[in-house]
Amino acid sequence: MHKRAGLAEHLRRAARGADEILVPRWVPYLFAVFSLALAPGIARVFAAAPPLHLAMHWRLAWGGFDVALAALLAATGLALFRRSAVAEVLAAMTATLLCCDAWLDVLSSTGQGTAATVISIGEAALVELPLAALFTWVAVRFAGAVAEARPALQRAGFRIRHRRLLPPAGGYPALRDAEAAGNQPTWRQWTPRGHAGQPGLLLPWWLPAACLGFVLVLIPWTAWLFVTLPQTELAGQWGLARAGLDLALAIVLAASAVALLRRWPAAEVLVAIAAALLLRDAWFNVLTARRGHSSVALGVAAGLELPLAALCLWVAVLYARAVDVAWPYVRSLRMRAARRDAETQPEVKW
């Protein structure tokens, strides 16, 4: 009886056209399959990776990687300045590339002497990992802000149709209340805390400028890499470095599958991380492959890694568009709560 009732409810929702979900149901299962498929290759590399690897196109690999990192930083800063929810996706990808940079730098420097290894560890500990933590925090702030308001969005009548979040037909009730009270809320203004007259920002105001500053630092650094790095390099522990990143990719894909199935707010952050790992993997695998193996790496990149990265980015952008639609309503709810708290706060007499 319970199953028949559930089926009837599903049919009623289908008849209303409101049974869609944001991400297709097959996506998390595909992520889980790819996560399991990575296991044999990871085990083989961990077991048989040589201590040194003659990497081809070393200069282009690292110079292009840092160009991509600078482009992501600039795009993240622009998205933050424009109050766009795409900043969540870009910030997660930036944090991922910074972690990859630290990991590859440290392991590939082990064959170049103790001084090179110490410098790489210092850069990772003092620059790359703290910046990665900052951008991870930015992505998590986005994911958590709308997740808190998800029950209110459902009660207000928000629905998902054709992979898009749609507001209720009559507009946003909380926005109408705010307008009636003479308080015109600024759409796309991020305000999880603060008082009704001047709500606080979701993210620090200086973040877009900080992104620009990081880009300005990266420009001369990338030029220096293109001038000084050799075209070929004996990279230390390169197999271990690649295997570690493949293991991270397998874990992130598995976590993405679980998060999508369970409707966890971290799903969009995880799929953005997976996209960044796949793009990095394709880039370095093609450019650092041994002589005679470039065609195989190029085939894997074109046939598997890049399509899967595009799928991850599509899923992440679906979530970002939903955040853009939901945020005006979320902000209006927070402003109403702030006004209510201000009205109920007892007066302090000095």
Side-chain angles (χ1 to χ4, degrees):
M1 180 66 181
H2 175 72
K3 289 183 178 179
R4 287 198 299 272
L7 178 60
E9 175 61 23
H10 172 76
L11 292 175
R12 283 197 297 272
R13 285 186 291 144
R16 293 197 302 265
D19 69 324
E20 291 190 39
I21 57 176
L22 198 62
V23 178
R25 290 178 174 84
W26 53 266
V27 170
Y29 298 104
L30 182 66
F31 287 165
V33 168
F34 279 115
S35 176
L36 294 174
L38 283 169
I42 295 170
R44 180 178 59 82
V45 174
F46 270 119
L52 292 174
H53 170 72
L54 181 59
M56 312 301 295
H57 306 292
W58 189 250
R59 182 186 306 165
L60 179 59
W62 277 110
F65 179 84
D66 281 350
V67 168
L69 181 58
L72 269 177
L73 281 167
T76 303
L78 179 61
L80 289 169
F81 180 76
R82 297 186 60 193
R83 304 290 193 261
S84 171
V86 177
E88 176 186 7
V89 178
L90 297 172
M93 296 181 70
T94 302
T96 305
L97 290 193
L98 285 165
C99 290
C100 292
D101 197 8
W103 175 257
L104 294 175
D105 268 347
V106 171
L107 287 183
S108 63
S109 66
T110 55
Q112 301 171 16
T114 304
T117 303
V118 170
I119 292 173
S120 297
I121 292 175
E123 288 178 356
L126 299 178
V127 180
E128 292 159 341
L129 294 183
L131 284 180
L134 171 64
F135 283 103
T136 301
W137 174 75
V138 170
V140 170
R141 289 285 286 173
F142 271 98
V146 176
E148 294 175 5
R150 186 175 295 173
L153 293 171
Q154 293 172 343
R155 289 194 299 269
F158 282 76
R159 293 291 182 266
I160 296 172
R161 303 248 178 100
H162 307 298
R163 310 296 172 205
R164 290 177 179 270
L165 183 69
L166 300 178
Y172 300 165
L175 284 175
R176 291 202 305 269
D177 293 345
E179 291 170 0
N183 187 1
Q184 297 283 344
T186 303
W187 287 45
R188 305 165 78 93
Q189 180 75 34
W190 306 326
T191 55
R193 64 166 66 93
H195 57 84
Q198 185 63 41
L201 293 174
L202 177 67
L203 296 167
W205 60 269
W206 47 263
L207 265 178
C211 290
L212 177 61
F214 298 147
V215 173
L216 294 178
V217 171
L218 273 174
I219 290 174
W221 170 259
T222 305
W224 181 81
L225 287 181
F226 274 114
V227 170
T228 61
L229 282 182
Q231 192 64 15
T232 59
E233 178 71 18
L234 273 175
Q237 305 297 332
W238 192 247
L240 176 62
R242 285 183 52 192
L245 289 174
D246 285 345
L247 178 60
L249 175 60
I251 293 172
V252 170
L253 285 174
S256 300
V258 174
L260 289 170
L261 288 172
R262 305 281 296 177
R263 307 288 192 271
W264 288 346
E268 59 266 41
V269 176
L270 289 170
V271 293
I273 291 173
L277 286 172
L278 285 161
L279 293 172
R280 183 226 60 85
D281 199 31
W283 178 257
F284 272 98
N285 283 353
V286 170
L287 289 180
T288 64
R290 297 195 307 271
R291 294 187 186 277
H293 292 76
S294 298
S295 57
V296 176
L298 187 60
V300 172
L304 180 61
E305 292 167 332
L306 296 182
L308 188 56
L311 174 63
C312 291
L313 288 175
W314 177 65
V315 171
V317 170
L318 286 179
Y319 274 97
R321 289 192 315 193
V323 171
D324 267 339
V325 172
W327 189 251
Y329 182 77
V330 174
R331 180 181 184 275
S332 66
L333 290 177
R334 290 180 179 275
M335 291 181 67
R336 291 178 65 186
R339 286 199 302 271
R340 186 169 58 250
D341 292 344
E343 291 170 358
T344 58
Q345 187 175 1
E347 182 180 357
V348 178
K349 295 182 179 180
W350 298 92

